[in-house]
Amino acid sequence: QTLEQYTKAGKIVVLEWFNPGCPFVKKHHEAHKTMKETFDKYKDKNVVWLAINSSAPGKEGAALEDNQQAKEKWGIEYPILLDPTGATGRAYGATNTPHMFIVDAKGVLVYAGAIDDNRSPKHVGTNLVAAALDEVLAGKPVTNASNRPYGCSVKY
C-alpha cells in the first residue's frame, strides 16, 4: 500500500517514527499505553496507523528482530515499516522517536510534532495526536498543527 492509496480511500494516516530501543518510545508503548490507546480509539474511524523505523543498519533499533519483538511484547497491532536508507524519514523531516505526523484524507500533512506535551521520560501529558485527530474528524483545522517533537534522535 502507498500513502496515496490510503488517502484516496478516504483514510486519515498517522505516522509514528519508531525505535524499540528509545526510552521515550518505551514510555508510550510499555510504561504507558499512549500509542495503543490512541490507535484503539481511532482505528474504526477511518484512521490508519503506521510506525516507521528509519534507523540505519547497525544502529540502535534497526534489526528486524528487535522490531518484531517489540511488536509482540507491546501488543502493537499496526505495521512497523523499516526505512533503513532513511529516505522516508528525511522526506518527512522526522527528527525524533517518537515523532508523529497526521496526513488527512486529502493527502495533506495536518499535524507534525510530539505525541503529548510532557517531555519527561516517565510521565504522560495531554495527547496532542488525539486532539488533532478529533479536529480532523470533525472537519476542523488542527489548532496545534506543529510543535517540537521530543525523544531520541532518529538513528540515520
Side-chain angles (χ1 to χ4, degrees):
Q1 291 262 18
T2 65
L3 188 64
E4 185 180 31
Q5 287 172 311
Y6 287 123
T7 57
K8 278 188 174 181
K11 304 286 186 186
I12 297 162
V13 180
V14 175
L15 303 174
E16 168 197 345
W17 255 263
F18 183 84
N19 178 336
C22 173
F24 294 92
V25 171
K26 290 178 182 179
K27 165 187 169 178
H28 290 290
H29 278 283
E30 192 173 301
H32 303 277
K33 300 293 183 193
T34 318
M35 300 300 183
K36 180 172 179 26
E37 289 168 359
T38 309
F39 167 75
D40 285 344
K41 181 177 178 182
Y42 296 99
K43 68 182 178 186
D44 295 327
K45 297 181 180 179
N46 263 350
V47 176
V48 173
W49 194 295
L50 304 170
I52 301 174
N53 186 330
S54 293
S55 294
K59 302 267 180 134
E60 176 191 72
L64 176 63
E65 304 78 42
D66 293 343
N67 289 277
Q68 289 171 329
Q69 286 172 1
K71 185 174 174 65
E72 186 176 317
K73 179 180 179 182
W74 297 333
I76 298 171
E77 297 175 44
Y78 46 88
I80 300 172
L81 309 173
L82 300 183
D83 174 36
T85 67
T88 302
R90 287 185 180 91
Y92 277 89
T95 57
N96 298 82
T97 54
H99 194 163
M100 307 298 295
F101 297 85
I102 301 172
V103 178
D104 72 10
K106 294 177 187 133
V108 176
L109 182 67
V110 295
Y111 179 85
I115 179 68
D116 72 338
D117 64 358
N118 191 329
R119 303 174 76 79
S120 153
K122 295 187 178 174
H123 305 287
V124 175
T126 300
N127 189 325
L128 302 173
V129 170
L133 284 170
D134 287 341
E135 290 176 323
V136 171
L137 289 165
K140 298 177 182 174
V142 178
T143 306
N144 183 3
S146 179
N147 58 70
R148 202 168 119 229
Y150 68 88
C152 305
S153 62
V154 176
K155 309 297 187 234
Y156 289 115

